[in-house]
Amino acid sequence: MAAIHGRAFILDASIQALCPLLYLRAENPHCASRMQRLLEFIAHHPYLVAAAVLAAIVVVVYELRARVQAFAALSANQAVRLMNQGALVIDLRSKDLFDAGHIVDARNVPAATLESQADSLKKWRDKNVITYCDSGSNGASAARALIKLGFTKVFNLQGGLNAWVKENLPLTKTAGGKSSSK
């Protein structure tokens, strides 16, 4: 008595038990032809395939960049709350940009000298520290560097000073060592 069961064509259970491989069908006989068809498609449409690969690369780069910039990110309003609780604010821009306008009570530590000046910031290791630059990308990398140096509560102002200004929050200008609110 013959019966079809799953992938095997069963004539007799005892015969199948002796040699089960004789009664199994091939998994997918068209698998090789599908691969050949894919390669043929790629050969006939190289610009379309190149555009698809390029689009995939652009998406991956965009996502990686967004993740790098979003490291420990705070919005401007969240940063104000932390500042009201006594957080240290570190401006990573150059001295000229810092003098032109910075967040109130921010300390200017250029990104290039951050690791060398970490000892002067050691009393802040267990307190809230907020880093910022113009756009937020250097702030994220500085936040990572401070965490590697032993700081425990480091945050990055998402969008940097540009986001701060966009939220119409106050800046201070430094002229000859004096601070004035804007």
Side-chain angles (χ1 to χ4, degrees), residues 35-50:
M35 183 58 76
Q36 289 171 350
R37 289 174 53 199
L38 176 65
L39 293 175
E40 182 181 346
F41 179 83
I42 291 170
H44 288 309
H45 306 290
Y47 295 118
L48 182 62
V49 172

Side-chain angles (χ1 to χ4, degrees), residues 93 101 103 132-135 157 159-166 171:
R93 301 173 305 146
I103 295 174
Y132 75 91
C133 61
D134 280 327
S135 65
L157 180 59
L161 195 62
N162 295 336
W164 185 269
V165 171
K166 188 175 181 182
L171 292 178

Side-chain angles (χ1 to χ4, degrees), residues 84-121:
N84 289 337
Q85 295 172 3
L88 171 67
V89 181
I90 299 176
D91 188 326
L92 300 165
R93 301 173 305 146
S94 68
K95 179 74 172 144
D96 295 337
L97 292 173
F98 179 79
D99 290 341
H102 60 275
I103 295 174
V104 178
D105 296 331
R107 188 182 274 188
N108 184 236
V109 180
T113 63
L114 182 66
E115 291 186 24
S116 64
Q117 293 188 23
D119 289 337
S120 67
L121 303 172

Side-chain angles (χ1 to χ4, degrees), residues 42-64:
I42 291 170
H44 288 309
H45 306 290
Y47 295 118
L48 182 62
V49 172
V53 169
L54 182 64
I57 290 171
V58 166
V59 167
V60 168
V61 167
Y62 178 79
E63 287 297 321
L64 289 175

Side-chain angles (χ1 to χ4, degrees), residues 8-19:
F9 184 71
I10 303 174
L11 290 174
D12 189 1
S14 61
I15 295 173
Q16 185 180 7
L18 292 174
C19 193

